[in-house]
């Protein structure tokens, strides 16, 4: 059976702080690069979606007939404004 010693506690604290500062240092180096990659990928996906939308809208416009004569809409009836009676 082993007992905890003061030297073991100090060694564990040193390892903990060393690991913490190494991770912090590496995060400062690599997180901006990773964030830039994520933003670039999102921008690329947005451009692709926008291009697909543009393609769909242009194909829809090309399918619609282009007559200069406007079509007459059916008139169902006249508009009646109802007032509330108390």
């Amino acid at each position: 059976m082993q007992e905890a010693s003061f030297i073991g506690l100090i060694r564990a604290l040193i390892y903990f702080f060393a690991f913490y500062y190494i991770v912090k240092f590496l995060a400062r180096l690599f997180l901006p690069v990773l964030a830039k990659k994520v933003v670039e990928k999102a921008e690329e996906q947005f451009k692709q979606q926008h291009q697909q939308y543009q393609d769909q809208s242009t194909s829809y416009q090309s399918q619609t007939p282009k007559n200069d004569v406007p079509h007459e809409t059916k008139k169902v009836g006249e508009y009646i404004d109802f007032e509330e009676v108390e």
Side-chain angles (χ1 to χ4, degrees):
M1 185 173 187
Q2 293 182 349
E3 293 182 14
S5 65
F6 183 71
I7 300 295
L9 175 67
I10 298 297
R11 184 178 294 160
L13 289 175
I14 289 173
Y15 288 147
F16 175 75
F17 284 115
F19 178 76
Y20 172 76
Y21 283 110
I22 288 171
V23 169
K24 187 176 175 181
F25 176 74
L26 292 176
R28 284 188 179 181
L29 287 178
F30 293 116
L31 280 181
V33 175
L34 291 174
K36 185 177 179 182
K37 295 274 187 189
V38 168
V39 168
E40 287 174 354
K41 188 169 185 170
E43 182 180 358
E44 180 181 321
Q45 289 177 350
F46 175 76
K47 284 181 181 180
Q48 287 177 352
Q49 288 177 352
H50 184 68
Q51 183 65 33
Q52 288 174 356
Y53 176 75
Q54 290 293 336
D55 292 343
Q56 288 175 354
S57 66
T58 55
S59 66
Y60 176 74
Q61 289 174 358
S62 64
Q63 291 175 357
T64 58
K66 294 184 177 182
N67 295 338
D68 291 337
V69 179
H71 295 286
E72 199 172 303
T73 58
K74 293 183 181 179
K75 293 187 178 182
V76 179
E78 62 184 66
Y79 177 74
I80 300 173
D81 188 18
F82 292 98
E83 293 183 16
E84 187 174 326
V85 179
E86 294 182 18

